[in-house]
Amino acid sequence: MADTQFDVIVVGGGPGGYVAAIRASQLGLKAAVIEREHLGGICLNWGCIPTKALLRSSEVSHILHNLDAYGFSAKDISYDLAKVVQRSRKIAKQLSGGVAHLLKKNKVTVVDGHGKLAGTQGGLRKVDVSKDGKPVGSYTAKHVILATGARARTLPGLEPDGKTIVTYREAMVPETMPKSLLVIGSGAIGMEFASFHHDMGCAVTVIEVVDRILPAEDEEISAFAHKQFAKQGMTIKTGVKVAKLEKGGKGARATIEVAGKSETIEVEKVILAVGIVGNVEDIGLEGTKVKVEKTHVVINEWMETGEPGVYAIGDLAGPPWLAHKASHEGVICVERIAGVKGLHPLDVRKIPGCTYCRPQIASVGLSEAKAKAAGYDIRVGRFPFVGNGKAIALGESEGMVKTVFDKKTGELLGAHMIGAEVTELIQGYGVAMTLETTEAELMHAVFPHPTLSEMMHESVLDAYGRAIHF
Amino acid sequence: MFASPLAKRMAEQAGLDLGSLKGSGPNGRVVKADIEAAVSGGARKPAAAPAAAAPVAAPTPTLGAAPSADVPGMPAYEEFPNSNMRKVIAKRLTESKQFAPHFYLTIDCEIDELLKVRKELNAKGDDYKLSVNDLVIRATALALKRVPAANASWTEKAIRVYKQVDISVAVAIDEGLITPVIRDAGSKGLKQISAEMKDLATRARERKLKPEEFQGGTFSISNLGMFGIKDFAAVINPPQGAILAVGAGEQRAVVKDGALAIATVMSCTLSVDHRVVDGAIGAEFLAAFKKLVEDPLTMLL
Ligand SMILES: Cc1cc2nc3c(=O)[nH]c(=O)nc-3n(C[C@H](O)[C@H](O)[C@H](O)COP(=O)(O)OP(=O)(O)OC[C@H]3O[C@@H](n4cnc5c(N)ncnc54)[C@H](O)[C@@H]3O)c2cc1C
């Protein structure tokens, strides 16, 4: 008979759950993952990875349509959308298979089915698992980590039909490229789909309810991005309320309100990207002390819920909704369970966030406005891509690197970048922050020439009035 | 020194000796959080009985020269290295006693009415529980608003009379004591004062106060009533001009209208920096304070 008793059971096999289970096993705990659909969760199957695969295709498309700049010419550039999507799906599948392999290698038991808390049994937490509504088994463990993730949020009046009006799930596997697209919501997910469609030749309109796109980013970065997208030919409207969304006309018709005036937008397709909600339903929270607020499970700094022995991590436990945050929480949670010494809670301020639209956006720490609001007396450095040799050589001379320092201590409070490849650069500042460097060490560090990373150096220098190349 | 660059710089700015700190980072590295903890709470024991309020603001590394304890004939001892907090307390209090000419004014307040009002108020809601100290804070703040000259600091050029009453309240913690500040206490109601005080005291004990929560303050209160102390004189918390030391409320025989009666009496002693506040102003403040404490309904206004 299969094993049914564990030290740790993880419900959900996304980047939060599977990483927690592997770390548990490394620490000598007997671990199981219960996953109902696909190992790797949203991230590998319907989120981070497949979008990046799609965006790679749209980047190629962008280059192909600008070949002249590099001395090439080509005729009849075309693409087969089915192949583009197929490539993305294949990559997702490959990685999901990789996770299965990693779990096996680490001796983590994988249970196929839907897990649900079911009280206690013999002093242990019990989790019931069902498949297609039929019970398949009961498992017990001292510790249960809930990592059931999240799904797209829908708003009243903004309900998807899965064909014309869709969320990220359907948008990931389009059958045809629409001629026109409306993206509602300008967060990371919205802007990535907008950018993909735009570079694949679709006329894109993005609308955002607050007064700027990418509202989580530094205001200057939002403004810079807005300008760039507008220059590319995208239509962007901020401070917009959707009064009505209905099917009809070319596909869908949205009635929006901008500054008190009403407008209609007709498009072939609509992507809703208005946030996400936690998967808190049907996981046995009823009658427990687990608290749910705004569709997310409430946890403390050690991912503990109100119920002893029950933890929550990742998207289920609230923002920022990022895969690396989910994984990191999983690791800390399990290390705490295993009694690892010298643990520190996750410092939210040091979690980088990346958006892979064109231009890319990456940031870590406090925005200029947030630093000021937190009472810091600050120094701000900026360096434009146009001052960087490598950026110009790449044909990517638009972007900037912004840094925010505490004037008093020289602590790097935040870094904000927009432009080519910045998602690969941000971690330089992430490491610097974690090591608690001040501006002095950053100035001291030698950055290789010619690289985009030199802008990170220059931005720091600029904060102290010492930039060389601008 | 195994410390992060930021920790090194912050330690230098705060006048802390890095060598005396225990690092909480990987492999014992001293990190920003350790400096913040040291600034807000000291790094090591031993527990001391609070004697007076001492701020932990603007610490500097050197102490005033102390007479040597190394005299012959002392018994065996154990040494507890001074935490940074201990050093700061020592320095600030020495400075206070050296430079601020203290004088002391004591007044007795009858608090039977105050205890009654407190009880009644506490019976009215279960989302708060007022302590006598909360009422003392409120009374002090209102009295200072009436006598602003007592809410002042000495500087070489001028006497600074503050436009807001920020009350530092001494809280004993393991390593010594710390004085979290109730900002603008004069315009806060009892419930808010009580909630803030509870939060500040809890976080003070956990050493989780931010510097801005215990630095500053225009006037201090030190209350040792809960230890049964009848009356004491506290050391002024510079640059403030005065500190109110609050004793225990106890039943005493008092003479009322020529007859002996029993009343609950709380003695309070104001230590005053004579450079800033003269006797008459100190007395005026205490009279205003007493009036509020003995007629507590007026402090609800
Ligand atoms: C389009 C898109 C793009 C994104 N891009 C990025 C990006 O570039 N970078 C980034 O960091 N983040 C990105 N994200 C966010 C990222 O995908 C999530 O933050 C991450 O997947 C959260 O991980 P998780 O483990 O908490 O949950 P999930 O990945 O959602 O995993 C939860 C898993 O639990 C399973 N499950 C749920 N309930 C049960 C149950 N009762 N029993 C058993 N199994 C259950 C689900 O099937 C799922 O596999 C993106 C998201 C989307 C939608």
Side-chain angles (χ1 to χ4, degrees):
Chain A
M1 204 192 113
D3 250 338
T4 58
Q5 194 180 320
F6 299 89
D7 295 319
V8 177
I9 292 176
V10 186
V11 183
Y18 84 77
V19 169
I22 290 178
R23 184 69 189 123
S25 198
Q26 285 176 345
L27 289 165
L29 300 170
K30 199 169 146 202
V33 169
I34 301 169
E35 169 57 54
R36 67 178 177 199
E37 193 178 350
H38 38 38
L39 288 169
I42 295 303
C43 168
L44 295 195
N45 297 284
W46 297 101
C48 329
I49 296 294
T51 46
K52 265 75 273 177
L54 293 178
L55 285 159
R56 175 68 168 163
S57 290
S58 63
E59 185 188 6
V60 170
S61 165
H62 166 66
I63 292 173
L64 285 173
H65 286 94
N66 290 276
L67 282 179
D68 186 50
Y70 305 93
F72 288 83
S73 63
K75 268 189 266 164
D76 304 330
I77 298 166
S78 68
Y79 61 83
D80 178 349
L81 186 63
K83 276 195 188 158
V84 169
V85 172
Q86 210 177 45
R87 173 172 177 277
S88 164
R89 296 324 299 159
K90 212 175 122 194
I91 291 164
K93 204 162 158 218
Q94 177 186 341
L95 287 167
S96 181
V99 171
H101 168 78
L102 288 173
L103 289 169
K104 196 165 162 207
K105 190 180 119 190
N106 283 283
K107 306 202 167 41
V108 175
T109 302
V110 177
V111 181
D112 175 22
H114 177 99
K116 186 173 177 172
L117 289 172
T120 54
Q121 178 179 308
L124 298 175
R125 293 254 152 225
K126 185 157 144 280
V127 179
D128 285 346
V129 179
S130 59
K131 183 89 198 166
D132 305 322
K134 288 187 210 79
V136 291
S138 285
Y139 301 82
T140 55
K142 193 151 173 228
H143 308 278
V144 176
I145 301 175
L146 301 173
T148 55
R151 60 181 184 278
R153 180 157 80 133
T154 55
L155 299 172
L158 294 184
E159 281 105 3
D161 71 346
K163 274 193 141 28
T164 312
I165 302 170
V166 302
T167 65
Y168 65 80
R169 196 102 173 195
E170 300 83 22
M172 202 77 73
V173 287
E175 282 166 16
T176 52
M177 180 56 57
K179 287 204 176 53
S180 55
L181 171 75
L182 172 66
V183 177
I184 303 182
S186 74
I189 295 176
M191 288 324 296
E192 287 185 5
F193 277 113
S195 196
F196 168 72
H197 283 82
H198 173 78
D199 282 344
M200 296 297 274
C202 165
V204 176
T205 304
V206 178
I207 58 178
E208 167 61 53
V209 61
V210 303
D211 62 356
R212 60 191 178 104
I213 61 165
L214 293 155
E217 299 296 337
D218 184 275
E219 286 171 27
E220 208 174 337
I221 299 289
S222 287
F224 197 108
H226 190 138
K227 247 199 196 142
Q228 290 293 311
F229 289 126
K231 205 164 135 190
Q232 289 175 17
M234 220 184 260
T235 307
I236 294 188
K237 292 173 192 278
T238 56
V240 166
K241 269 227 237 21
V242 183
K244 203 154 101 190
L245 180 64
E246 59 197 340
K247 293 218 281 179
K250 286 187 255 175
R253 194 180 299 121
T255 312
I256 61 170
E257 273 162 28
V258 205
K261 270 190 256 152
S262 187
E263 270 178 43
T264 46
I265 301 176
E266 254 189 49
V267 286
E268 261 182 47
K269 189 172 173 175
V270 179
I271 296 179
L272 298 173
V274 291
I276 66 163
V277 291
N279 291 327
V280 292
E281 303 84 359
D282 199 24
I283 52 174
L285 299 185
E286 306 73 18
T288 70
K289 293 202 200 72
V290 177
K291 240 173 83 186
V292 175
E293 257 169 34
K294 293 193 197 148
T295 82
H296 295 286
V297 171
V298 180
I299 55 170
N300 66 11
E301 75 264 43
W302 303 113
M303 328 313 156
E304 292 161 346
T305 67
E307 188 76 24
V310 178
Y311 311 79
I313 60 172
D315 280 5
L316 175 69
W321 300 293
L322 296 166
H324 39 285
K325 176 253 186 187
S327 302
H328 223 85
E329 283 185 341
V331 168
I332 292 174
C333 178
V334 163
E335 291 188 345
R336 173 87 173 173
I337 289 172
V340 170
K341 293 229 165 55
L343 269 188
H344 289 274
L346 181 59
D347 183 352
V348 190
R349 243 168 74 178
K350 301 203 176 95
I351 305 175
C354 296
T355 306
Y356 299 75
C357 45
R358 184 177 66 81
Q360 294 185 357
I361 288 132
S363 62
V364 62
L366 298 178
S367 68
E368 182 177 348
K370 287 216 177 97
K372 276 191 194 143
Y376 287 102
D377 197 3
I378 56 173
R379 275 176 175 277
V380 176
R382 293 178 186 82
F383 194 83
F385 270 52
V386 70
N388 177 266
K390 179 69 184 295
I392 296 172
L394 284 176
E396 299 283 0
S397 55
E398 287 185 279
M400 78 154 157
V401 176
K402 173 171 174 179
T403 45
V404 181
F405 286 91
D406 178 0
K407 200 180 225 169
K408 178 160 169 241
T409 62
E411 179 179 10
L412 177 60
L413 298 173
H416 310 276
M417 312 193 193
I418 180 164
E421 302 306 333
V422 293
T423 57
E424 295 293 339
L425 295 178
I426 192 70
Q427 195 45 16
Y429 285 136
V431 171
M433 276 182 160
T434 303
L435 292 180
E436 297 189 347
T437 67
T438 68
E439 87 292 347
E441 294 74 32
L442 285 165
M443 288 182 186
H444 233 89
V446 182
F447 290 74
H449 177 74
T451 61
L452 298 174
S453 74
E454 287 172 283
M455 290 185 282
M456 297 170 67
H457 194 213
E458 291 275 15
S459 176
V460 173
L461 290 173
D462 182 59
Y464 290 81
R466 290 179 43 185
I468 303 283
H469 293 98
F470 202 73
Chain B
M1 192 63 241
F2 191 46
S4 79
L6 181 61
K8 283 181 190 163
R9 187 176 284 171
M10 288 173 70
E12 195 185 314
Q13 289 174 344
L16 292 178
D17 173 14
L18 268 180
S20 67
L21 296 179
K22 225 175 138 255
S24 68
N27 303 313
R29 188 174 192 242
V30 178
V31 295
K32 177 185 173 191
D34 301 320
I35 309 292
E36 285 176 340
V39 172
S40 75
R44 242 191 80 98
K45 17 185 176 188
V56 193
T60 43
T62 49
L63 290 184
S68 172
D70 291 330
V71 292
M74 301 305 278
Y77 53 79
E78 190 183 338
E79 287 202 335
F80 297 94
N82 290 327
S83 67
N84 282 300
M85 180 182 220
R86 214 56 248 162
K87 289 183 198 167
V88 172
I89 291 174
K91 178 172 158 52
R92 306 279 298 187
L93 293 185
T94 306
E95 265 175 18
S96 174
K97 273 287 196 176
Q98 271 173 357
F99 295 110
H102 286 56
F103 75 95
Y104 311 94
L105 301 168
T106 301
I107 200 163
D108 288 343
C109 306
E110 290 184 17
I111 58 166
D112 298 281
E113 194 56 32
L114 179 134
L115 294 175
K116 201 176 120 218
V117 167
R118 167 178 173 246
K119 205 164 154 193
E120 284 169 11
L121 287 173
N122 280 340
K124 284 208 162 47
D126 30 77
D127 58 333
Y128 59 88
K129 191 164 174 285
L130 305 177
S131 68
V132 172
N133 204 44
D134 296 332
L135 290 140
V136 167
I137 295 171
R138 168 97 175 137
T140 304
L142 292 180
L144 286 171
K145 276 179 89 170
R146 281 174 209 175
V147 188
N151 190 39
S153 283
W154 168 262
T155 72
E156 287 303 325
K157 282 204 206 98
I159 287 176
R160 270 186 204 161
V161 177
Y162 297 105
K163 295 191 169 157
Q164 180 173 307
V165 179
D166 288 354
I167 296 199
S168 309
V169 183
V171 173
I173 63 176
D174 280 352
E175 294 79 8
L177 73 164
I178 190 158
T179 53
V181 182
I182 306 257
R183 301 274 172 208
D184 200 8
S187 62
K188 285 177 181 165
L190 279 168
K191 199 168 145 184
Q192 189 179 356
I193 288 176
S194 179
E196 277 186 31
M197 200 54 232
K198 199 171 283 162
D199 169 56
L200 288 167
T202 310
R203 285 189 297 116
R205 284 186 203 102
E206 293 165 356
R207 292 206 233 103
K208 284 196 178 142
L209 290 182
K210 299 188 200 108
E212 62 268 26
E213 290 176 316
F214 59 84
Q215 292 175 348
T218 60
F219 184 99
S220 290
I221 297 178
S222 179
N223 188 340
L224 292 181
M226 52 292 218
F227 297 107
I229 300 297
K230 181 177 173 190
D231 187 13
F232 70 108
V235 181
I236 295 166
N237 180 354
Q240 298 171 7
I243 180 168
L244 187 69
V246 181
E250 53 177 19
Q251 291 203 326
R252 291 186 210 161
V254 295
V255 180
K256 273 189 187 161
D257 302 329
L260 218 54
I262 294 176
T264 311
V265 179
M266 176 177 82
S267 297
C268 295
T269 296
L270 185 71
S271 307
V272 191
D273 180 344
H274 216 324
R275 296 172 301 177
V276 189
V277 178
D278 295 329
I281 292 185
E284 200 186 324
F285 163 77
L286 279 179
F289 173 77
K290 179 181 164 92
K291 205 161 161 235
L292 285 155
V293 168
E294 295 195 340
D295 188 3
L297 287 180
T298 55
M299 82 168 92
L300 302 179
L301 297 174

